[in-house]
Amino acid sequence: MEIKQLKYFIEVAKREHLSEAALELDIAQSAISRQITQLEKELQVTLFKREGRNIHLTDEGKHLFTEATKIIDQLDETIRLFHNQSESNHFIIRIGYVESYISQVLTLLIQAFENKSDSVVEPILMEESDILNALLTDQIDIAFTELTQTLKQNSSLKINPLFEENFHIYVPKDDPITMATNPPLIQFSNKMIYELYALPSNIRQTLEKVVETPIRTVTHTQIAQYLLNKERGYIIAPSYHLLDKNPQKWVDVSLEHTELRRTICSVVRPDNRKNDLQLMLTTIEQLLSRSATYH
């Protein structure tokens, strides 16, 4: 049984006239007759009584008319539902982003975009390992993520490098490292290192190759400041995460000269035709496409 057979049957049943149904459906009368015959054969019933040029529904035909009407109505309602949902989704820009400087400026970006557009933005914080697949499977429209070799090698994506993200480390004031110019990471090898919030996985891996002791995580600036005050360790963080200045207790040492750096980019699929996506990309370019935005 096919949907078109039910539709043909319903039109004939409403009119009890083949030629009128054919005219309404804009198909040949013979095509309708053929489909009705196939439907009767499959159901093993007679749907119409034929009396010369006139046809009338049988009891089985009346029963099928009731059920077929329900099926087609439900089908039409389902189609309308998805069309409405699709139209609504066309005005939603879903942004997937990894924890980075983007988190600090995302509100500004959303406001700037929504002030010029009828579309709305849904921000979604994601893991680095999930974000590319989400973009490729249309779960998100734009990705803010690290520019990796995997991304560079994917010619099906439109990639826009935005800025380089660097890191810094807070060191107790009397530590000899504070006197060094551009100290290499190896000088921190035997130190107790705390990350202020979780570092990006590749940055942490690079650091772990140098540091001999396990890297601990703290998630509050007051804890980080307490550890520094007690000279219990060093606090490493992205350049946009800052502690209150306390020159009597600790010194902020930049690590931008080291390999602890990454490039953040925006990524889209060129075949994405969502409404106002180009406006969002322009807004991103205006607000974010510059090096060291947060310095």
Side-chain angles (χ1 to χ4, degrees):
M1 183 186 301
E2 299 179 5
I3 293 297
K4 71 175 180 179
Q5 291 176 330
L6 294 181
K7 289 183 175 180
Y8 292 174
F9 166 75
I10 289 172
E11 289 301 327
V12 175
K14 285 179 180 178
R15 294 165 175 77
E16 294 192 327
H17 203 289
L18 278 172
S19 60
E20 290 182 7
L23 185 63
E24 174 66 23
L25 294 168
D26 193 26
I27 60 174
Q29 182 174 324
S30 60
I32 293 183
S33 296
R34 184 167 57 252
Q35 293 298 328
I36 295 297
T37 299
Q38 291 177 359
L39 188 58
E40 289 179 319
K41 183 177 181 180
E42 181 178 355
L43 297 177
Q44 298 182 353
V45 297
T46 300
L47 299 173
F48 295 98
K49 294 182 291 187
R50 294 162 177 83
E51 299 175 356
R53 294 185 176 181
N54 298 320
I55 60 174
H56 305 284
L57 282 169
T58 63
D59 289 342
E60 291 84 356
K62 292 177 182 178
H63 187 196
L64 180 60
F65 179 76
T66 299
E67 297 304 318
T69 301
K70 293 178 183 178
I71 293 171
I72 297 303
D73 286 347
Q74 182 60 50
L75 176 65
D76 290 342
E77 179 61 29
T78 301
I79 292 173
R80 284 194 295 270
L81 174 65
F82 276 87
H83 280 178
N84 291 340
Q85 183 178 5
S86 177
E87 183 176 348
S88 174
N89 285 340
H90 204 62
F91 288 88
I92 298 174
I93 305 294
R94 293 185 175 88
I95 293 180
Y97 66 101
V98 298
E99 180 57 44
S100 63
Y101 174 66
I102 291 295
S103 305
Q104 311 295 307
V105 296
L106 196 54
T107 300
L108 175 63
L109 176 64
I110 293 172
Q111 289 176 340
F113 170 76
E114 292 186 351
N115 285 340
K116 299 180 287 187
S117 171
D118 293 329
S119 298
V120 297
V121 177
E122 287 186 2
I124 307 169
L125 179 63
M126 306 185 72
E127 295 293 333
E128 189 87 48
S129 57
D130 298 332
I131 200 165
L132 178 56
N133 181 66
L135 183 67
L136 295 175
T137 56
D138 286 327
Q139 298 175 55
I140 58 175
D141 302 297
I142 300 175
F144 286 117
T145 186
E146 181 179 357
L147 180 57
T148 63
Q149 283 300 122
T150 301
L151 278 180
K152 292 178 182 179
Q153 293 168 1
N154 194 323
S155 59
S156 67
L157 299 174
K158 181 179 180 182
I159 301 171
N160 180 24
L162 297 174
F163 53 82
E164 185 174 87
E165 191 163 86
N166 299 306
F167 296 80
H168 62 160
I169 191 166
Y170 289 97
V171 179
K173 172 180 175 292
D174 295 329
D175 194 293
I177 288 179
T178 62
M179 305 302 294
T181 301
N182 296 335
L185 290 181
I186 194 65
Q187 289 197 19
F188 300 93
S189 61
N190 61 347
K191 308 297 183 181
M192 177 60 73
I193 304 293
Y194 291 88
E195 55 182 0
L196 180 57
Y197 311 112
L199 293 171
S201 58
N202 67 322
I203 297 296
R204 185 186 175 101
Q205 289 168 8
T206 299
L207 192 58
E208 286 175 336
K209 293 177 181 178
V210 177
V211 178
E212 298 171 359
T213 57
I215 299 172
R216 311 298 187 186
T217 305
V218 295
T219 58
H220 201 285
T221 56
Q222 289 183 348
I223 298 175
Q225 291 169 353
Y226 179 83
L227 293 170
L228 286 168
N229 282 331
K230 297 298 183 178
E231 298 187 1
R232 293 186 184 172
Y234 297 52
I235 306 296
I236 187 170
S239 296
Y240 56 86
H241 278 316
L242 301 173
L243 297 180
D244 294 337
K245 291 184 177 180
N246 190 344
Q248 303 304 315
K249 291 291 185 177
W250 61 75
V251 174
D252 181 2
V253 177
S254 172
L255 297 176
E256 64 180 50
H257 60 282
T258 71
E259 57 268 41
L260 299 186
R261 64 167 69 90
R262 61 177 184 164
T263 298
I264 300 298
C265 62
S266 64
V267 190
V268 295
R269 288 175 48 177
D271 59 351
N272 189 325
R273 297 291 182 266
K274 187 165 283 191
N275 193 65
D276 282 346
L277 183 64
Q278 187 56 52
L279 176 60
M280 171 56 82
L281 296 178
T282 300
T283 306
I284 291 171
E285 182 74 22
Q286 293 170 344
L287 293 182
L288 298 176
S289 187
R290 63 197 72 173
S291 61
T293 307
Y294 42 82
H295 289 310

